[in-house]
Amino acid sequence: MRIASYNVNGVVNRLPQLCAWLDVTQPDVVCLQELKCTTAAFPRRELKALGYEALVHGQATWNGVAILVRGAVPLETRRGLPLAKGEPADTQSRYLEAAVNGIVVACLYLPNGNPWPGPKFDYKLAWFKRLNRHAASLIKTGHPLVLAGDFNVVPTDADIYSTASWKDNALLQPEPRAAWRALLKQGWTDALKQQFPDKTPYTFWSYLRNRWPRDAGLRIDHVLLSPPVSKRMMEAGVDKALRGIEGASDHAPLWVELAD
DNA sequence: ATGACATAGTGTCTATGA
């Protein structure tokens, strides 16, 4: 079974590229981020024509996440992260969770937190804390789990071409990196790092400053596996070529192949 | 190398992304 994650940067505008990729790679489960459309505007019919059922948590203009499953309807287990006592409701559509073929799959789009410092960075850290709290409760169940999405954190300086232009960027700050390490310490396996421990591939290349042709990338999209799923991992990778096609998203999809 | 790009809606400009 193949589970993929792809920040599409606008699912309506990106539909031709998304469909071409689905058609070629045929993932069984796909976590999409940055839909930038309402749940009603999501292109269900076009994806259904390719054999995919969709669970959608949309929002006008910004954010938005969805889970696609080939040939089956995903069973929703959660929409939005649980709130701590007194915490205000989250109006941003960034978390969706579903049961698929015996695995609970969480699709997430963590806030980018720029500019740093500031209220958006504070929101990022609060969101990350909420995610870690929920992830801890999930992994404690021992159930097969996958957390996939755009975490908006570059885990280490080895996960970026150069830190020079990014020193003041929210993606590289010590606090989100510490939150990332705390999350992994719960027992999650970083699938891409597991597959490529020395040179872990990038998943994002900015549109600006010729960064794609220069391979000036960042690793900010991640797939995390709980222990029972980690045991089943056969392979993981990044479909890097999709970043180079006409009208590409600034992210490339990543995926993990699991034994049945 | 803080953007020379790309996105969607409020729309020929603004806010946002990372």
Side-chain angles (χ1 to χ4, degrees), chain A residues 112-190:
Chain A
N112 84 38
N114 282 301
W116 170 83
K120 291 191 175 179
F121 186 71
D122 298 340
Y123 173 68
K124 173 182 196 156
L125 295 183
W127 204 97
F128 216 147
K129 249 177 217 155
R130 222 187 302 159
L131 172 67
N132 284 8
R133 211 161 43 221
H134 182 55
S137 77
L138 284 176
I139 204 166
K140 225 165 36 185
T141 64
H143 197 82
L145 310 158
V146 173
L147 304 183
D150 180 353
F151 285 70
N152 270 317
V153 60
V154 175
T156 71
D157 288 354
D159 297 301
I160 183 168
Y161 66 101
S162 159
T163 58
S165 322
W166 302 84
K167 286 222 183 301
D168 295 334
N169 194 288
L171 307 190
L172 276 72
Q173 295 313 305
E175 295 93 337
R177 283 180 163 179
W180 169 256
R181 287 194 302 272
L183 176 59
L184 288 191
K185 217 171 159 194
Q186 294 176 3
W188 301 93
T189 296
D190 178 345

Side-chain angles (χ1 to χ4, degrees), chain A residues 62-112:
Chain A
W62 309 118
N63 313 314
V65 286
I67 299 175
L68 308 180
V69 178
R70 191 152 57 89
V73 180
L75 181 69
E76 180 173 332
T77 55
R78 179 163 281 286
R79 181 172 296 243
L81 285 167
L83 300 167
K85 254 199 187 129
E87 217 173 355
D90 196 348
T91 56
Q92 304 187 17
S93 301
R94 296 180 175 276
Y95 186 90
L96 188 60
E97 189 186 284
V100 181
N101 300 337
I103 299 179
V104 169
V105 176
C107 174
L108 64 102
Y109 175 47
L110 214 134
N112 84 38

